[in-house]
């Protein structure tokens, strides 16, 4: 359907295990090393992503890694093993903070940051680590790494000329989806708005090969689903840092089928396993904490050093910022 097949598969998809291979109590909390709560919540959410944790606990990456210097996959492998396998109640994530500048140039120790930006940069750094030594791979092959096969999917953009009805399709890989929540009151309504066709006119109008410059309609849909669907509920009202503080409802179980390019077929069900919450009056200050579902099936509130048991009802009543769903 216009998408090139990969010339090489970099990680066998059949080796990705979506269920926990080890069931145990939750791991350690993470020490705040000075305005690092935005880092801690992402590290915890990634640690409790079952297919990623299974892979990192196997040590398969470090056994084959020949990268000199910084490698985000090696750092995450050591971190996840320390959190889940040691008897310590609190872990100091020093290696991540030490190498912040390699993860993202905008991050600095002792300076507050944004959890979504750190997630974005962390996933991209892990993707780069998986492609180390494979930089000459074609674009389609680059989407077959372990990271892209877990978190990655494809969006389809269909532009339709409203005069002659000519259609042009394009595809784009994604590792996470950013949703506008200024109007929608729920995640499902925000997803409905995301896939609703938008008119492109005025300065955004396009040039049709038949009709010259005309108004067109653009619709974005999920074309290929990821194994882990990661959503950011955009809470920045504008560039001043004003925050959209309303509660946006989100379900424990999510069906992505209605938001697909092809809406026919069986439901595509996902289960919530982690979320990040931002507390504070503006997006420029405040504090991040998270909720994660451990391998024992229980939910825990993780706030830097503290790890406390909680119920699903508390989990579903939060002012969520990031949501993590697994197939």
């Amino acid at each position: 359907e216009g998408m090139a097949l990969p010339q090489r598969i970099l990680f066998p998809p059949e080796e990705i295990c979506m269920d926990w291979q080890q069931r145990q109590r939750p791991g350690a909390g993470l020490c705040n090393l000075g305005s690092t709560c935005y880092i801690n919540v992402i590290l915890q959410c990634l640690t409790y992503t079952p297919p990623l944790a299974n892979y990192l606990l196997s040590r398969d990456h470090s056994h084959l890694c020949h990268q000199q210097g910084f490698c985000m996959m090696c750092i995450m492998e050591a971190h996840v093993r320390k959190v889940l396998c040691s008897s310590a109640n609190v872990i100091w994530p020093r290696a991540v903070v030490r190498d912040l500048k390699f993860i993202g140039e905008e991050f600095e120790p002792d300076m507050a940051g944004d959890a979504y930006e750190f997630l974005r940069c962390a996933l991209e750094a892990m993707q780069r680590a998986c492609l180390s030594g494979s930089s000459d791979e074609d674009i389609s092959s680059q989407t077959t790494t372990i990271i892209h096969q877990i978190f990655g999917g494809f969006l389809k953009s269909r532009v339709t000329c409203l005069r002659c009805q000519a259609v042009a399709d394009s595809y784009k890989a994604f590792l996470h989806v950013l949703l506008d929540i200024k109007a929608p009151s729920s995640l499902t309504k925000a997803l409905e708005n995301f896939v609703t066709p938008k008119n492109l006119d005025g300065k955004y109008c396009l040039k049709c090969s038949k009709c010259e410059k005309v108004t067109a309609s653009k619709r974005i849909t999920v074309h290929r689903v990821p194994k882990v669907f990661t959503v950011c509920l955009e809470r920045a009202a504008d560039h001043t840092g004003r925050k959209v503080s309303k509660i946006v409802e989100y379900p424990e179980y999510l069906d992505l089928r209605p938001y697909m390019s092809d809406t026919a077929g069986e439901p595509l069900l996902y289960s919530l396993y982690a979320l990040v919450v931002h507390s504070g009056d503006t997006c420029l200050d405040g504090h991040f904490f998270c909720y994660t579902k451990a391998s024992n099936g229980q939910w825990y509130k993780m706030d830097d050093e503290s790890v406390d048991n909680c119920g699903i009802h508390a989990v579903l009543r939060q002012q969520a910022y990031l949501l993590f769903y697994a197939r």
Side-chain angles (χ1 to χ4, degrees):
E1 295 186 37
M3 296 168 59
L5 291 173
Q7 295 175 11
R8 192 158 74 99
I9 304 297
L10 299 178
F11 188 87
E14 63 273 10
E15 292 185 16
I16 298 174
C17 181
M18 295 299 292
D19 295 318
W20 284 101
Q21 293 178 322
Q22 302 175 23
R23 296 191 178 274
Q24 60 195 53
R25 64 175 182 80
L30 302 180
C31 185
N32 192 316
L33 301 178
S35 301
T36 58
C37 60
Y38 74 99
I39 297 172
N40 288 347
V41 290
I42 298 306
L43 291 177
Q44 293 288 37
C45 290
L46 293 177
T47 296
Y48 292 93
T49 298
L52 179 64
N54 289 333
Y55 174 71
L56 294 175
L57 289 171
S58 73
R59 291 184 171 180
D60 281 358
H61 177 82
S62 59
H63 286 159
L64 298 172
C65 183
H66 301 294
Q67 195 163 335
Q68 299 297 315
F70 171 75
C71 173
M72 190 64 180
M73 287 297 285
C74 286
I75 286 177
M76 285 302 301
E77 182 180 298
H79 176 81
V80 170
R81 288 188 61 81
K82 190 181 291 186
V83 168
L84 296 181
C85 300
S86 77
S87 58
N89 291 325
V90 178
I91 297 296
W92 294 54
R94 288 192 180 96
V96 177
V97 176
R98 178 195 65 211
D99 289 328
L100 266 183
K101 64 179 181 293
F102 298 114
I103 300 172
E105 293 180 356
E106 66 266 42
F107 304 122
E108 292 185 26
D110 301 320
M111 284 190 64
D114 179 70
Y116 170 64
E117 288 301 315
F118 185 75
L119 170 67
R120 182 181 64 78
C121 291
L123 289 178
E124 289 174 359
M126 285 191 282
Q127 172 74 352
R128 288 196 301 272
C130 292
L131 290 172
S132 176
S134 306
S135 58
D136 57 343
E137 298 290 348
D138 62 285
I139 296 297
S140 294
S141 295
Q142 292 179 25
T143 64
T144 66
T145 64
I146 178 72
I147 293 302
H148 211 285
Q149 292 204 56
I150 291 174
F151 295 96
F154 282 88
L155 296 175
K156 177 180 179 178
S157 174
R158 167 161 288 187
V159 176
T160 304
C161 173
L162 296 181
R163 181 180 296 172
C164 71
Q165 300 302 307
V167 170
D169 292 336
S170 60
Y171 303 89
K172 181 181 180 181
F174 71 91
L175 292 171
H176 35 73
V177 170
L178 188 65
L179 294 180
D180 185 351
I181 59 166
K182 293 184 183 70
S185 58
S186 68
L187 173 62
T188 52
K189 284 186 171 62
L191 284 167
E192 287 170 11
N193 184 57
F194 182 74
V195 300
T196 298
K198 314 291 191 301
N199 280 355
L200 303 173
D201 50 21
K203 66 178 180 179
Y204 297 108
C205 68
L206 299 181
K207 190 172 183 179
C208 173
S209 58
K210 298 178 182 178
C211 309
E212 294 302 316
K213 210 168 186 182
V214 295
T215 299
S217 170
K218 181 178 181 180
R219 186 180 188 225
I220 295 175
T221 50
V222 180
H223 196 69
R224 187 185 297 167
V225 294
K227 290 180 171 59
V228 169
F229 184 59
T230 308
V231 181
C232 176
L233 303 179
E234 178 58 80
R235 291 193 173 273
D238 51 38
H239 65 279
T240 66
R242 285 195 309 119
K243 180 181 172 184
V244 179
S245 297
K246 69 179 183 179
I247 296 291
V248 176
E249 294 180 2
Y250 47 92
E252 183 178 5
Y253 300 101
L254 175 68
D255 179 13
L256 278 187
R257 176 61 72 183
Y259 319 108
M260 296 288 293
S261 304
D262 182 3
T263 56
E266 295 293 317
L268 294 167
L269 292 178
Y270 285 72
S271 175
L272 182 71
Y273 74 89
L275 67 141
V276 171
V277 181
H278 176 264
S279 64
D281 296 328
T282 75
C283 295
L284 302 178
D285 58 17
H287 179 65
F288 290 100
F289 57 93
C290 65
Y291 292 82
T292 63
K293 193 176 186 180
S295 61
N296 61 5
Q298 300 296 310
W299 280 94
Y300 294 86
K301 179 182 179 181
M302 299 188 171
D303 189 346
D304 287 335
E305 296 91 343
S306 66
V307 176
D308 300 309
N309 187 271
C310 66
I312 185 62
H313 295 296
V315 171
L316 295 177
R317 290 200 303 264
Q318 299 302 313
Q319 196 183 103
Y321 179 44
L322 298 171
L323 297 166
F324 296 78
Y325 285 90
R327 275 294 290 273

